[in-house]
Every structure is written in structure tokens, then in C-alpha cells.
Amino acid sequence: MTLEWQNACKTFTDKKAVDNLSLEVSEGELLVLIGPSGCGKTTSLKMINRLVQPDSGAVFVNGRDVSEVPATELRRHIGYVIQQVGLFPHMSVADNVAAVPRLLKWEKDRIDDRVKELLNLVGLPADEFADAWPSRLSGGEAQRVGVARALAADPPILLMDEPFGAVDPLTREVLQREFLRIQSTLGKTVVFVTHDLDEAIRLGDRIAVMNEGRLAAVAAPGELLLNADPFIRDFTGEDRALRRLARLSVGAAIGEATPITAAGFSGGGESGAPAGSVRTDATLKEALSMMLEAGETSLEAVSPAGRRIGKLTMEDLLESAAGTEAS
Amino acid sequence: MKRLIGPVLGLASMAVLFIPGILDPVLRFLFPGAGEWVFPRASLLSLAAMHLLISLTAGATAAVIGITLGIAATRPAGRAFLPLIRDASSLAQTLPPAAVLALAIPFLGFGFEPVLLALVLYSVLPVLNNTLTGLETLPEPVLEAARGMGMSRLQVLMRVELPLALPVIGTGIRTSVVINVGTATIGALAGAGGLGSPIVAGLIRDNPAWVFQGAMASALLALMLNALLKAAEKRLQPANMREV
Ligand SMILES: Nc1ncnc2c1ncn2[C@@H]1O[C@H](COP(=O)(O)OP(=O)(O)O)[C@@H](O)[C@H]1O
Ligand SMILES: [Mg+2]
């Protein structure tokens, strides 16, 4: 399923919330919408499931103008997750997850199976959580239920509005990682709203930056961090060169295709390598830190198994930070 | 101590209603000069049954009207009428039921109907107010989630709004019923019977023992209904809120 905003505008009283937004999301893509608070992210997102009606312009789902699809019909096939979760407090976790399948009049057995499957998928064992009440859940657990509920009827499109914004940073990282795992198997078309740049860089196939209702830039994370536009430069921060390094592996910088390991996801890559050396699956940001710590301008690069691969120099880092993303 | 009050009151009420002679010695002791003690024209039980019928009919009518108006006034199309509905029901509650009764009798005649009208007007407000409060204070994210997942307006109302507002609405209904049980004593003025009959007769004939019987029985009835409805409300409440 593809999505598209075509010259979409929305004004609330005298405030232009969304100003001529044109943007496409391709099938299976995870697009992150980011920007300062009040820049129009939520309004843009809600245009897709018709919670907001654009004043002019249009939104298309799979080439079809959403204003021509009955709102309830449209929404039952678009998963929707919001920051405040909005679980139904008078329904058990299982009934919350079953909500959309019930609207779609699935058979009871099918719903039961699906609820179990989904709770397990989001890391909440069905035996333990199916009958729990939302008021008993921790923030992270509630948010997982929110994701399970949105995925219940297997919608091809998922809209997520700061879904992990209300949980503590540690839980947020776990949720992000798990969401990436789920998304890698499900391959939904996702629009993910956040105001957290790290989250955007971690999750996004592409990142669309909004400012005062307008689309300021849209690019893959690596490119965005090189964008010279003053607003984007400011938005991506003083340390954006470090963010760039954090996305690249030591292996890639020395011409050895090594992905950053799961352990390196949070930048906490267990190097486990002897002094003066760095593992090829560590990030360049970690390598830089090691160099600074050791007062060296080069490190031995070793494979995760401990085999010597080559030398990583400060030149390599400068080159990587300057652009040409080796991916 | 507090746990005993309910059962003791319940037993006392049962005894008073179902064993006609039981009050006689008490009344003789309390009102030695009354001359006649137990109200002779009808048993307290049949008076209480009539009383209950009047007040529950009025309570149910007020509940239906109050809830319907409350729902209508919180829909997008009805929101414009919200202030009007609020004002009208507040006004209705400020009218003394006895005055309404007196004004209605020439049009509706004596009996059940004018009493019902007076009681309903008097007791719509608590139901309406609580329905409005219950529906207006629902958490916005929950409603947005409901709409966002594709529930129709009616589904949002039936599956989310009303179940969540039910405890508050239930309290309004209870208040209204209790008000009705107390106020239904005016039914005797229109010849509708009920526990007001011994009160009115006692006032006319200067017999405090009769007044006492009617007043006490209607008070006990109100207390019992209040307790019953409270228990029902607890059962209606979603399990999650009950536990916490
Ligand atoms: N329903 C609404 N009524 C009035 N103004 C609104 C409404 N929704 C959003 N706005 C305004 O539109 C702008 C964009 O809001 P929003 O899309 O929620 O921003 P974001 O999600 O990026 O923080 C804000 O200035 C906000 O105050
Ligand atoms: Mg927002």
C-alpha cells in the first residue's frame, strides 16, 4: 500500500497547521515525520485516516482519494497508535486487542487466536496478560497493547503518533528495537511521528522534517544528517557528525561489509577487543570515543571473533563523517 | 457497627411492612393521646407497594428522559441545545412539586398522572446532570482511539461512552429515585395513594401516630432503595474500577 499527500492544507481558525504538504510513502516503507512541537505532524497524520479533513489538496491511499472512502471502512484497515495509548479502560487487554476484528465481524475462534498471536508478538505472554485490566499495566506494557491493538486486523498501513513518547528512555529503546523486529517481518507501510531525532534516525527508512506546517526536507537518515539547509542543520544538532558516525560500522569504514550488531543498537557496543583495537561491528562513534580515550589516532580493527582485519585511522573517521555513506 | 446498620434497617422495614400489628404497642407508647394508632384504611404494605410503583415509574421515566437528553446534548448536532436543556431542567427542579401538582390537577384530573408529572419534572435534573458529566469527562485519547479504529458514532456511544459513563449515570438515577420516594408522599394530595395517605389523613385528623407511620415507612423505603441501587451500581461498574 502506498500513501500520498498532494498539496494538502489545513488551517485551524487563523493558524496554518499544514501548508501545502506533498509527500509520498512507498509500499513497506517506514517514513518518520519529525519536527518541533506544533509543526503539523499530528494534523498531517490524521489526514490519512480522515480524523482531519484537508481544506484543500488530497490524500491518497493506494492511489485512491481517502475522501471517497467511508471513514469507518478506511479506518478499520489502517492501524492507529497514539502517544496516550487510549486503551479502553473498561475492557480487558484481550478485548482491547480484539476491538477491530470485532468491528470487522470476524468469527470468535479466529479473534481468540489472533489476540493470542499478537500479544505474544509484542512480548506480552497471552496467558499472563489477556485477562489483565489496562489500569494494571506499566507504561511500556500499555504501549505494547496499543501496538497489538493497531495490528490486530493485519492492516497494511500503520499510523503511529509518538507511540513511544510517554515511556522512559530505556523502555523506549526496547520498544523501538522490538518494533523494528516486528516491522522487518510484517513490512507494513508506516508513518511514524516523533519529535525525537535519535528515534527518527534509528527507525526511519526516510525522515520527513516539518517546520511550521511545511515540509522542510525529506531524506534517508544518513543524507539528512548531511543536509546543509540552515533549519535542518540546526534541527539535527551540533553533534550531528557524531550521529552520522553512530550509524556506520568500523567494518564499513575500512571496506569490510560488517553490519552494526544488535548490541551496537544503543551505542553500547560491547567491544570486547584487546586494548588498542576495535571490533568491526562497533560503530564509528564508539571507535572515535576509544581513540579519544586512548589518545591514539588509529586502532586495530578486529573481527568479532578476534581476527585482525586492518587499521582504522582518524582519516577514515573524517572521511566517513564528511559524507559518502558506505552502506 | 456500620456493617450492622444495613441489615438492621432492612429487618426493621420488613417487620413494619409485613407484620401489621407490630407497630401498635410502639405507637401506643409514643403517642398515648392519639386515640387510633395503626392506620386503619389500608395496610402499610399496600400503601408502600403503591408508593413504590409511583416513585419507580417516575424514576424510570426521569432516567429515560434524562439519559436521552444527556446523550442528545453531547452529540455534535445537539450541542447547540446544551445550554437550553441545562436551563430547562434546572428550572424544572426549582418548581415545587406540590405547586406542579396543584397546577396539573385541573388538566390531568386526580390520580396517578399529575403525580407522575410533578415527580418526573422534579427528578430529571440529577439524571441529566450526571449523564452530561459522565459523557463530557471521558478521556479524549480513548475516544480518539475508538474513532480512529473505525467505530461508527453509534458504536463509540454504545461500546465506549455509555459503559464508561455508566457509574456516574447510575449515581444520578439513584439520586433521582431517592428524591422520588421522598416526594411521592404528595401523591396522597391527588388521591393517588401511597405512604402519603396516612400523613395527610393524620394531619387532617390531628393524629400524629398516622403521620409518623407514613413518614417513617417512606424514609425506610428510601434508605432501602438507596442501598439496593448502590449495590446494583457496584455490580455495573467495570471490574477494573471495582478492584482499584
Ligand atoms: N483541533 C484543533 N483546533 C485548533 N487548532 C489545532 C487543532 N489541532 C491542531 N491545532 C493547531 O495546529 C498546529 C499543528 O498541530 P499538530 O498537528 O498537533 O502539531 P504537532 O503534532 O506537530 O505537534 C498547532 O499550532 C496546533 O495548536
Ligand atoms: Mg502531535
Side-chain angles (χ1 to χ4, degrees):
Chain A
M1 288 261 172
T2 58
L3 291 174
E4 184 181 359
W5 289 267
Q6 221 173 63
N7 307 108
C9 297
K10 181 72 190 182
T11 303
F12 291 111
T13 50
D14 55 347
K15 162 113 189 163
K16 269 201 166 166
V18 176
D19 190 358
N20 204 25
L21 176 67
S22 291
L23 182 61
E24 283 178 56
V25 189
S26 46
E27 163 94 38
E29 184 181 20
L30 198 163
L31 178 91
V32 173
L33 269 185
I34 194 170
S37 177
C39 72
K41 306 180 291 291
T42 297
T43 308
S44 304
L45 191 77
K46 285 181 174 176
M47 286 178 181
I48 298 172
N49 63 5
R50 294 192 56 188
L51 285 173
V52 167
Q53 178 80 37
D55 301 328
S56 64
V59 173
F60 298 88
V61 169
N62 241 12
R64 189 154 174 219
D65 188 336
V66 292
S67 67
E68 289 165 8
V69 186
T72 52
E73 189 56 34
L74 179 78
R75 291 171 190 162
R76 288 170 194 180
H77 296 96
I78 297 180
Y80 186 43
V81 188
I82 53 177
Q83 174 171 352
Q84 311 90 325
V85 203
L87 294 182
F88 302 131
H90 59 303
M91 295 184 194
S92 68
V93 164
D95 286 336
N96 266 280
V97 176
V100 181
R102 288 211 177 109
L103 291 175
L104 293 170
K105 303 203 164 58
W106 286 16
E107 287 188 2
K108 191 182 174 302
D109 289 348
R110 186 176 169 208
I111 295 179
D112 292 348
D113 291 347
R114 182 66 180 156
V115 167
K116 272 197 200 115
E117 181 189 346
L118 274 167
L119 286 179
N120 292 328
L121 179 75
V122 298
L124 300 174
D127 297 339
E128 194 180 328
F129 285 93
D131 297 327
W133 293 102
S135 56
R136 301 280 165 156
L137 302 176
S138 71
E141 287 164 351
Q143 207 48 269
R144 285 162 199 254
V145 176
V147 173
R149 181 172 67 174
L151 289 171
D154 203 17
I157 297 169
L158 207 52
L159 308 179
M160 307 178 82
D161 196 349
E162 310 204 17
F164 310 141
V167 293
D168 63 276
L170 226 64
T171 310
R172 183 184 316 176
E173 232 175 82
V174 173
L175 289 174
Q176 287 167 353
R177 187 155 43 213
E178 293 192 358
F179 179 66
L180 274 184
R181 169 180 61 78
I182 292 170
Q183 168 63 3
S184 72
T185 58
L186 299 183
K188 305 283 181 198
T189 303
V190 184
V191 181
F192 189 110
V193 168
T194 182
H195 61 248
D196 175 354
L197 185 64
D198 289 314
E199 183 166 75
I201 292 171
R202 249 172 231 162
L203 300 183
D205 293 323
R206 281 190 309 154
I207 300 175
V209 186
M210 291 187 70
N211 186 29
E212 293 177 349
R214 278 185 298 275
L215 183 64
V218 54
E223 291 167 33
L224 189 75
L225 293 170
L226 291 167
N227 191 315
D229 173 88
F231 172 75
I232 301 296
R233 197 137 102 192
D234 194 45
F235 186 75
T236 47
E238 300 291 338
D239 54 349
R240 68 185 195 144
L242 291 178
R243 291 183 201 274
R244 220 147 55 222
L245 291 180
R247 291 178 36 79
L248 302 172
S249 72
V250 169
I254 60 167
E256 182 89 359
T258 317
I260 300 167
T261 56
F265 185 92
S266 58
E270 250 303 308
S271 85
S277 68
V278 60
R279 274 168 50 159
T280 49
D281 61 347
T283 68
L284 288 180
K285 184 179 171 189
E286 288 163 335
L288 175 64
S289 173
M290 288 180 198
M291 284 185 192
L292 294 175
E293 176 123 24
E296 302 281 350
T297 54
S298 74
L299 294 170
E300 297 291 345
V302 299
S303 75
R307 193 165 49 87
R308 217 187 135 246
I309 305 277
K311 212 175 192 48
L312 179 77
T313 64
M314 189 58 92
E315 258 83 73
D316 294 327
L317 293 183
L318 289 173
E319 221 168 84
S320 301
T324 53
E325 182 149 323
S327 58
Chain B
M1 184 59 200
K2 213 179 158 205
R3 301 176 129 238
L4 282 177
I5 292 178
V8 166
L9 267 179
L11 274 178
S13 319
M14 294 293 161
V16 166
L17 290 178
F18 288 99
I19 313 173
I22 202 171
L23 271 182
D24 194 49
V26 183
L27 293 170
R28 280 173 194 272
F29 173 74
L30 286 175
F31 309 102
E36 269 186 285
W37 288 275
V38 174
F39 186 61
R41 265 181 262 160
S43 73
L44 268 188
L45 185 61
S46 68
L47 291 171
M50 189 61 200
H51 196 88
L52 211 55
L53 179 69
I54 298 174
S55 37
L56 288 185
T57 310
T61 313
V64 170
I65 295 176
I67 293 172
T68 310
L69 286 178
I71 291 173
T74 50
R75 300 308 96 185
R79 209 159 271 278
F81 299 99
L82 183 58
L84 180 72
I85 290 174
R86 260 190 212 283
D87 290 350
S89 82
S90 312
L91 182 71
Q93 209 196 16
T94 54
L95 299 176
V100 174
L101 193 63
L103 289 172
I105 287 173
F107 301 96
L108 297 175
F110 280 87
F112 200 73
E113 290 86 357
V115 182
L116 197 61
L117 178 72
L119 293 185
V120 169
L121 280 182
Y122 195 52
S123 61
V124 159
L125 188 69
V127 184
L128 176 68
N129 269 348
N130 280 36
T131 305
L132 290 176
T133 307
L135 291 176
E136 295 274 75
T137 55
L138 297 175
E140 187 50 43
V142 172
L143 298 180
E144 186 178 313
R147 283 191 289 266
M149 70 170 53
M151 286 191 192
S152 65
R153 287 220 176 109
L154 186 65
Q155 284 167 331
V156 176
L157 176 69
M158 302 305 290
R159 297 186 191 194
V160 181
E161 292 181 79
L162 284 179
L164 284 176
L166 204 57
V168 184
I169 298 176
T171 307
I173 295 177
R174 177 161 56 87
T175 310
S176 149
V177 168
V178 171
I179 289 176
N180 276 326
V181 172
T183 317
T185 46
I186 64 164
L189 296 173
L195 291 167
S197 304
I199 298 179
V200 172
L203 290 172
I204 294 170
R205 302 267 301 272
D206 200 14
N207 183 332
W210 293 354
V211 175
F212 178 78
Q213 284 165 69
M216 188 195 57
S218 57
L220 284 176
L221 209 56
L223 286 171
M224 275 201 312
L225 269 179
N226 188 44
L228 268 175
L229 289 173
K230 229 179 192 165
E233 260 170 59
K234 264 203 181 131
R235 306 200 105 224
L236 279 179
Q237 241 171 44
N240 62 323
M241 303 179 184
R242 218 185 301 158
E243 281 176 61
V244 179

